[in-house]
Amino acid sequence: MNITFLLERFAAYDHRPALIWKGEHYSYNWLLDQIHTFSQWISSEGLEGAIVVLEEDYSPYAAAALIALLEQNCIVVPMDRHLVEAKRNEYTALAQAEWRMSVGEGEAIARRCSVQGSRSSILERLSQEKNAGLVIFSSGSTGQSKAAVHSADRLLHGFRRQVRPLCTIPFMMFDHIGGLNTMLQSLSSGGCLCVIPNRSPMEVCKTIEKYRVQALPVSPTFMNLLLLSGVYREFNLSSLEVVSYGSEVMPEALLPHGIDSFRMYARCRLTACRSLEFCRQAPKIPVHCNLRFVMRKSIIGLWTGCLRSKQKRP
């Protein structure tokens, strides 16, 4: 896959920090070198063009590995490394993955998987066209887990347009479409991802104050937890410019009172990455729907228990 535009941007960003992880700053130059290192390793180990599960959480090494796998035309299945083993095995089988890969703190390890049956037509088409892809699973909270196959080329096309670089906490999980959107948007625009060790209100507020975080993409559930805890009153959150929420509907009870209370401590604006239907319910809130637009254009297949082609809507 041709990711030249990303690599050229990383080179131009030079010594600007790309990620902050475990208290250390990792520059775009470092990221670029690590992508090349992983790309060569992937090719030498025979993973090129394969379906690869990447079992990681946010880290500079995970970000570099993901981009390197796409560069080598792999179909990548991002997977939270803290997920229970039974679920990881289930997702690995459903995605018909050929390899399970982890990178830790720079030491890449790949294990072969036993693939049952022939590769689905959707994945086979991506492979034959030498196109990279992403397979994203839903949480399965409303029933059986669902997944979508994304064309990496179409997905990355949405990030050619640069936005203002911000220091951002990637709150959504590494294997969540919202989390990938946050990571790719930040890196493609020269921003800095500030990785947190846990997603507690205390840790989030402490990180915002310490690193002058400007953007916080979260879920309404976390916003509710943050407001109930009241810990935001103990920190200087004045650097925060925007809080975006998605993946769930924001309870209306939070909007008039709870959010106003939070805004007193963090002079930020609230942005909804939700649906247009919900936007009409809360017209006073600035709405940004780019997330759903970019992701829908990149989807080429959907499935629950077995792969099937995406059905066109009338």
Side-chain angles (χ1 to χ4, degrees), residues 143-192:
Q144 188 176 15
S145 294
K146 303 174 185 66
V149 181
H150 296 262
S151 163
D153 187 57
R154 295 184 202 172
L155 184 91
L156 289 180
H157 182 77
F159 299 101
R160 288 182 177 272
R161 184 180 69 85
Q162 292 176 269
V163 298
R164 187 165 68 92
L166 299 174
C167 183
T168 305
I169 291 178
F171 185 86
M172 301 292 186
M173 303 302 289
F174 179 71
D175 57 358
H176 189 282
I177 195 67
L180 289 171
N181 180 76
T182 298
M183 182 176 73
L184 291 171
Q185 179 172 281
S186 178
L187 294 178
S188 64
S189 297
C192 178

Side-chain angles (χ1 to χ4, degrees), residues 53 70 87 100 105 113 121 132 134-135 154 183 249 257 268:
V53 172
L70 295 179
K87 268 293 180 188
R100 290 173 67 168
E105 297 192 18
C113 302
S121 59
L134 282 164
V135 178
R154 295 184 202 172
M183 182 176 73
V249 172
H257 305 297
C268 59

Side-chain angles (χ1 to χ4, degrees), residues 7 10 27-40 64:
L7 303 182
F10 294 168
S27 71
Y28 278 93
N29 264 345
W30 180 94
L31 183 63
L32 192 59
D33 289 341
Q34 195 62 48
I35 291 169
H36 289 321
T37 298
F38 280 144
S39 190
Q40 290 173 358

Side-chain angles (χ1 to χ4, degrees), residues 46-278:
L47 274 66
E48 185 176 355
I51 304 174
V52 182
V53 172
L54 181 59
E55 299 175 282
E56 283 297 334
D57 198 353
Y58 291 108
S59 77
Y61 298 100
L66 177 67
I67 295 170
L69 284 165
L70 295 179
E71 184 180 32
Q72 292 295 328
N73 295 320
C74 295
I75 298 171
V76 188
V77 188
M79 196 174 294
D80 179 16
R81 63 185 176 87
H82 301 294
L83 199 65
V84 296
E85 186 65 21
K87 268 293 180 188
R88 282 194 274 177
N89 291 335
E90 176 191 342
Y91 291 168
T92 299
L94 282 174
Q96 299 174 303
E98 299 159 290
W99 296 88
R100 290 173 67 168
M101 178 179 170
S102 61
V103 291
E105 297 192 18
E107 185 179 353
I109 299 172
R111 295 175 292 156
R112 268 199 176 277
C113 302
S114 176
V115 182
Q116 301 296 322
S118 58
R119 185 182 288 187
S120 75
S121 59
I122 299 170
L123 300 177
E124 188 61 35
R125 189 179 74 200
L126 273 177
S127 180
Q128 288 178 354
E129 294 173 354
K130 297 190 181 300
N131 286 333
L134 282 164
V135 178
I136 309 294
F137 283 93
S138 69
S139 63
S141 56
T142 58
Q144 188 176 15
S145 294
K146 303 174 185 66
V149 181
H150 296 262
S151 163
D153 187 57
R154 295 184 202 172
L155 184 91
L156 289 180
H157 182 77
F159 299 101
R160 288 182 177 272
R161 184 180 69 85
Q162 292 176 269
V163 298
R164 187 165 68 92
L166 299 174
C167 183
T168 305
I169 291 178
F171 185 86
M172 301 292 186
M173 303 302 289
F174 179 71
D175 57 358
H176 189 282
I177 195 67
L180 289 171
N181 180 76
T182 298
M183 182 176 73
L184 291 171
Q185 179 172 281
S186 178
L187 294 178
S188 64
S189 297
C192 178
L193 288 168
C194 196
V195 181
I196 48 178
N198 65 73
R199 291 168 174 79
S200 68
M202 180 70 74
E203 186 61 43
V204 168
C205 291
K206 183 172 70 174
T207 302
I208 292 170
E209 179 182 80
K210 182 176 181 179
Y211 295 109
R212 307 295 294 165
V213 171
Q214 297 163 286
L216 178 65
V218 293
S219 66
T221 297
F222 175 80
M223 278 302 299
N224 197 27
L225 186 62
L226 175 65
L227 293 168
L228 288 172
S229 72
V231 297
Y232 59 88
R233 299 186 181 95
E234 303 170 21
F235 296 90
N236 179 0
L237 308 182
S238 60
S239 63
L240 202 57
E241 298 177 20
V242 57
V243 175
S244 60
Y245 63 91
S247 77
E248 307 165 12
V249 172
M250 175 71 82
E252 290 188 21
L254 276 180
L255 295 174
H257 305 297
I259 296 301
D260 285 345
S261 174
F262 180 72
R263 278 177 173 153
M264 290 175 62
Y265 292 86
R267 295 182 181 88
C268 59
R269 63 185 173 89
L270 188 69
T271 301
C273 290
R274 193 54 186 163
S275 66
L276 291 173
E277 289 73 22
F278 179 65

